[in-house]
Amino acid sequence: MAANTLLVELGVEELPPNAIDTLSDALAEGLHRGLRDADVAHGEVYAYATPRRLAVRIEALNDKQPDREVEKRGPALAAAFKDGQPTKAAEGFARSCGVGVDQLIHLETDKGTWLGYREQQKGESIAALLPTILQKAIDSLPVPKNMRWGASRVEFSRPVHWLVVLYGNQVIDAEALGLAAGRTTYGHRFHAPEAIELAHADDYLSSLEQAWVLADRQVRRERIREQVLSEAEVQEASAVIDEALLVEVSGLVEWPVALTGSFDERFLEVPAECLISSMKANQKYFHLLDDQGRLKPLFITISNIDSSDPSRVIEGNEKVIRPRLADAVFFYDTDRKRSLASRTAELAGVVFQKQLGTLADKAHRSAAVAAFIAGQIGGEASHARRAAELAKCDLVTEMVLEFPELQGTMGRYYATQDGEPAEVAQAMEEQYLPRFASDAIPQSRTGQALALADRLDTLTGIFGIGARPTGTKDPFALRRAAIGVLNILIKGELGLDLRELLDLAATQHQELPYAEKLVDEVLDYMLDRFRAWGHDEGISTEAYLAVRARPVTRPLDFSRRLRAVQAFTGREEAAALAAANKRVSNILAKQADEVGSAVDASLLQDAAEKSLHDAVNSLRSSVTPLLGEARYQEALDALAGLREPVDAFFDQVMVMTEDQDVRSNRLALLADLRGLFLEVADIAQLQQ
């Protein structure tokens, strides 16, 4: 078979920048999947995209499928012949195969013998296969919103204007979205608008680059990064390159050119976050910082043209950014005319959830829980209560209404201006931490109390109205809230009891339709999050199940047990002791009525059971203090010493002896053994 490069390019009008990567990867995956299903071998698959094109290049693509032997199975042999003559079933099967009955074969299977037929099937050419593969790939694209254009009935994210399908130097005869495939592509809309005839699929990237188009997304992205850093160096500043902004900007240009503009220093009187949000959200600018980390009155814009007069492009951007920053100044000045506390009444008009009331109701509930938590963790209860009362007030300010991403940040600024205690102001921002699993947690006790109270209120409230998240729907982000609570309690080393906190949070709600089993349900849901949390920490599912089997309701304690069990699994004694615990568990489960309440040393007969009894008693005295100090790994390390006496016991002692008293006493000894391990976790689960 011969092999060559395949190029597919779909020319479109400007695509939504945040959809480009998804569409590009999906097109590449669709083509790859189609070729794989057709059993056509190929090399690397590359996805390219700009605002005006989606393209895929596939190297070393075979020009046809391999020939295959196809086996067909017909009727059972018993039904195929009667009195030595072929039945209608046999004749019909032969006709479907295009042969006579005498050319059929017998197929032996575990269910009997059947008539069959084998033939060599020629592999189809890539030219014959590709039109269908391409159509399926395009049909499966996750287009965010379809549109029609002109009189056409074709639908796509944006109007499409050309289609390239080249296999080496040959055009594949294919159609898609109302377009016939060809070899014509187009360069930059302004710098090189003329048609480009591609001689070969391998010429794609170089031909476009000569036409002022960087089709490779990653190359274009890194070109922008390099240019931004270079511009910043000229300005003796450091550029802040937000990766999400970098991706978005690279989806807006085909030939990036970084230019530096400036704005009036008077705008710096506004908090830097306000200016940065305005520049990023509205204009897609990168901001610059001085050597003290302060915002400089400069910005870097990425132009899509290499202008002969860059100053005019810069001037245009400066003209556009001025009113945007002026708006930020106006919002800030307007907001400062009122205190945060004066806005609490407005929260009564903002619905949190129709069955759970308004943000004012949520603030009232959270205040009680936050004050309690603060008292438990060495914080100031009055600060926590005040922080909860003010926590959502910045949501109704002009600045946050315009820039929602500034929630919490503006609360901190406005609370500081109002003369609120420093921890209260800090908590305004910290209430939203952690935003994701690896994010920082609140550092202040007031912030920790508020962040916990807010999430616990949401969890108990939403579960209480029966809106538990499903595998695909979690509109109130309860998974994130639950993991946030766990992270704060664990990383903050807060030994709080989750059941107690949930009880308190639940009682703040006046009426909940599903209140009866609410706390147990939410507790189970939150502790179940430890499976994913543990996975991120390198902890096995078996270790999680071992700890989950115990009634541990303090997340900090839960995490310490998890780490201890995970470390224990690395010991050579672990497998044997886990198996022994599983065996003991099974024995005790079947003989619950016969298990003695305590071991009677006078009933111990065999040396092996006496040895195990002595070892268990000895270890109990040394392990108990370790358990009291939550030194679980040391406790399990000590219990690992039980392997030899346990092995000897099961090798030499018959537990289920006919003497009922001796049997009961031996069961009590096994219960003692298992009880020692259960003080940490049910290591029998390590046998899962």
Side-chain angles (χ1 to χ4, degrees):
M1 293 183 187
N4 220 317
T5 302
L6 173 70
L7 171 68
V8 173
E9 183 192 50
L10 189 64
V12 296
E13 292 188 13
E14 275 67 11
L15 289 163
N18 288 322
I20 288 177
D21 281 8
T22 301
L23 290 172
S24 176
D25 291 339
L27 181 59
E29 173 56 29
L31 291 171
H32 167 67
R33 182 170 56 248
L35 293 170
R36 180 192 62 208
D37 293 345
D39 197 25
V40 182
H42 59 79
E44 292 293 326
V45 178
Y46 299 93
Y48 304 123
T50 77
R52 299 179 64 218
R53 71 199 74 234
L54 298 172
V56 178
R57 182 168 63 91
I58 301 177
E59 294 182 342
L61 176 66
N62 282 352
D63 60 1
K64 58 175 291 188
Q65 292 173 307
D67 295 340
R68 294 178 293 175
E69 185 177 72
V70 177
E71 183 177 279
K72 297 179 181 180
R73 193 172 78 173
L77 194 63
F81 294 94
K82 184 175 182 181
D83 299 329
Q85 297 300 312
T87 64
K88 290 184 178 180
E91 291 172 345
F93 175 64
R95 280 196 302 273
S96 71
C97 296
V99 296
V101 174
D102 59 337
Q103 293 177 273
L104 299 177
I105 62 173
H106 291 182
L107 298 176
E108 301 289 341
T109 73
D110 55 357
K111 294 183 179 180
T113 304
W114 307 75
L115 275 188
Y117 180 68
R118 291 193 187 100
E119 65 174 342
Q120 284 295 115
Q121 190 175 80
K122 286 285 188 180
E124 289 194 80
S125 69
I126 195 65
L129 293 167
L130 199 59
T132 301
I133 292 173
L134 175 61
Q135 189 61 58
K136 286 182 178 179
I138 291 177
D139 289 345
S140 64
L141 289 178
V143 177
K145 189 175 182 180
N146 274 321
M147 64 178 292
R148 293 177 183 170
W149 55 96
S152 172
R153 304 297 293 175
V154 173
E155 293 186 357
F156 196 62
S157 178
R158 293 292 187 270
V160 296
H161 294 294
W162 73 85
L163 175 66
V164 174
V165 184
L166 271 181
Y167 181 65
N169 60 4
Q170 299 297 315
V171 174
I172 298 289
D173 185 13
E175 289 188 6
L177 298 173
L179 297 171
R183 63 173 72 245
T184 305
T185 186
Y186 293 86
H188 193 282
R189 185 187 297 277
F190 305 111
H191 288 304
E194 301 82 9
I196 302 169
E197 297 297 310
L198 295 171
H200 195 283
D202 288 335
D203 299 338
Y204 182 67
L205 291 179
S206 59
S207 295
L208 283 184
E209 187 163 358
Q210 291 173 21
W212 301 75
V213 173
L214 292 178
D216 189 311
R217 293 174 295 169
Q218 196 58 39
V219 170
R220 195 166 64 253
R221 205 165 292 167
E222 291 309 309
R223 178 77 62 88
I224 294 172
R225 188 193 305 276
E226 293 168 4
Q227 291 183 358
V228 169
L229 294 175
S230 178
E231 286 288 306
E233 187 175 353
V234 171
Q235 300 297 329
E236 297 182 345
S238 60
V240 179
I241 300 179
D242 180 283
E243 292 300 319
L245 178 60
L246 179 62
V247 170
E248 185 174 7
V249 169
S250 71
L252 291 168
V253 298
E254 291 195 312
W255 189 262
V257 177
L259 300 171
T260 303
S262 64
F263 56 86
D264 197 315
E265 288 193 19
R266 66 183 177 85
F267 290 124
L268 295 178
E269 297 173 5
V270 177
E273 292 90 341
C274 303
L275 303 180
I276 293 168
S277 284
S278 181
M279 287 190 283
K280 286 172 62 176
N282 295 321
Q283 304 307 130
K284 316 305 177 188
Y285 293 161
F286 296 94
H287 61 280
L288 300 176
L289 304 178
D290 64 17
D291 56 4
Q292 300 298 312
R294 295 170 303 199
L295 183 65
K296 297 194 72 168
L298 300 169
F299 63 86
I300 296 176
T301 182
I302 304 300
S303 173
N304 191 35
I305 59 172
D306 192 355
S307 175
S308 58
D309 188 1
S311 63
R312 295 190 63 183
V313 179
I314 294 170
E315 182 182 342
N317 279 274
E318 290 174 342
K319 186 177 181 180
V320 170
I321 193 61
R322 198 173 300 120
R324 294 290 191 178
L325 299 185
D327 285 345
V329 172
F330 173 77
F331 296 144
Y332 184 59
D333 289 343
T334 301
D335 288 340
R336 288 194 299 166
K337 293 176 182 177
R338 295 176 54 192
S339 67
L340 274 182
S342 72
R343 300 177 184 274
T344 54
E346 295 176 42
L347 297 182
V350 182
V351 175
F352 165 59
Q353 200 281 337
K354 63 181 180 179
Q355 291 175 264
L356 300 175
T358 65
L359 286 181
D361 297 322
K362 182 174 178 60
H364 178 74
R365 295 191 300 263
S366 297
V369 180
F372 171 79
I373 293 174
Q376 296 292 304
I377 63 177
E380 180 63 53
S382 62
H383 286 172
R385 184 178 296 277
R386 180 64 170 171
E389 292 168 351
L390 300 177
K392 307 303 178 186
C393 289
D394 70 341
L395 297 181
V396 294
T397 62
E398 297 292 334
M399 188 68 79
V400 175
L401 287 172
E402 179 69 16
F403 302 110
E405 68 273 14
L406 292 179
Q407 64 179 7
T409 299
M410 296 317 300
R412 172 171 59 84
Y413 278 109
Y414 295 148
T416 300
Q417 172 197 294
D418 295 344
E420 298 289 348
E423 276 214 5
V424 171
Q426 186 177 345
M428 297 296 95
E429 191 163 36
E430 289 184 329
Q431 65 178 301
Y432 298 105
L433 298 177
R435 297 179 182 86
F436 45 88
S438 59
D439 197 13
I441 66 166
Q443 295 303 300
S444 70
R445 291 304 191 197
T446 301
Q448 291 171 352
L450 176 58
L452 288 169
D454 182 61
R455 289 167 170 82
L456 292 168
D457 175 79
T458 299
L459 283 159
T460 53
I462 300 301
F463 269 80
I465 61 172
R468 180 188 177 112
T470 65
T472 57
K473 293 183 179 180
D474 185 13
F476 288 90
L478 298 189
R479 288 185 185 85
R480 188 168 64 210
I483 292 174
V485 169
L486 298 181
N487 274 325
I488 293 170
L489 294 175
I490 295 168
K491 294 179 181 178
E493 298 191 345
L494 307 178
L496 300 177
D497 190 307
L498 199 50
R499 180 181 293 279
E500 183 179 13
L501 297 182
L502 289 169
D503 269 325
L504 177 60
T507 58
Q508 304 308 309
H509 295 273
Q510 292 185 350
E511 293 183 15
L512 291 173
Y514 297 88
E516 185 179 351
K517 298 180 179 180
L518 171 62
V519 171
D520 286 338
E521 186 179 6
V522 180
L523 180 63
D524 283 343
Y525 176 80
M526 297 185 72
L527 293 179
D528 285 346
R529 299 311 104 199
F530 264 112
R531 185 192 294 263
W533 181 90
H535 182 268
D536 292 340
E537 298 290 320
I539 294 170
S540 69
T541 298
E542 292 76 18
Y544 159 77
L545 292 173
V547 179
R548 188 72 175 90
R550 307 298 301 134
V552 182
T553 57
R554 297 178 186 271
L556 179 59
D557 194 52
F558 199 111
S559 70
R560 288 171 174 168
R561 292 170 189 261
L562 272 179
R563 296 185 191 283
V565 174
Q566 183 64 32
F568 177 72
T569 61
R571 296 185 63 101
E572 61 175 318
E573 303 94 342
L577 286 171
N581 268 267
K582 184 72 171 178
R583 184 175 180 181
V584 171
S585 177
N586 291 336
I587 292 172
L588 295 176
K590 296 175 182 177
Q591 309 293 333
D593 294 338
E594 291 193 52
V595 179
S597 58
V599 178
D600 183 346
S602 67
L603 292 175
L604 298 174
Q605 298 177 347
D606 295 345
E609 63 180 324
K610 292 177 182 178
S611 175
L612 180 59
H613 179 249
D614 291 343
V616 168
N617 283 339
S618 174
L619 279 171
R620 181 182 290 109
S621 61
S622 61
V623 165
T624 300
L626 297 175
L627 296 173
E629 298 174 9
R631 294 158 62 184
Y632 300 118
Q633 185 170 338
E634 293 175 55
L636 286 176
D637 286 342
L639 292 176
L642 287 170
R643 177 183 177 177
E644 289 188 11
V646 167
D647 286 348
F649 178 87
F650 282 116
D651 286 343
Q652 302 170 29
V653 177
M654 179 180 291
V655 177
M656 306 308 293
T657 181
E658 292 184 4
D659 188 316
Q660 184 173 347
D661 290 337
V662 174
R663 179 171 68 244
S664 179
N665 198 54
R666 288 173 177 171
L667 290 171
L669 175 57
L670 292 180
D672 266 3
L673 168 68
R674 181 152 168 74
L676 265 182
F677 282 95
L678 287 176
E679 289 292 330
V680 180
D682 182 5
I683 69 165
Q685 298 293 327
L686 299 180
Q687 284 285 294
Q688 294 291 333

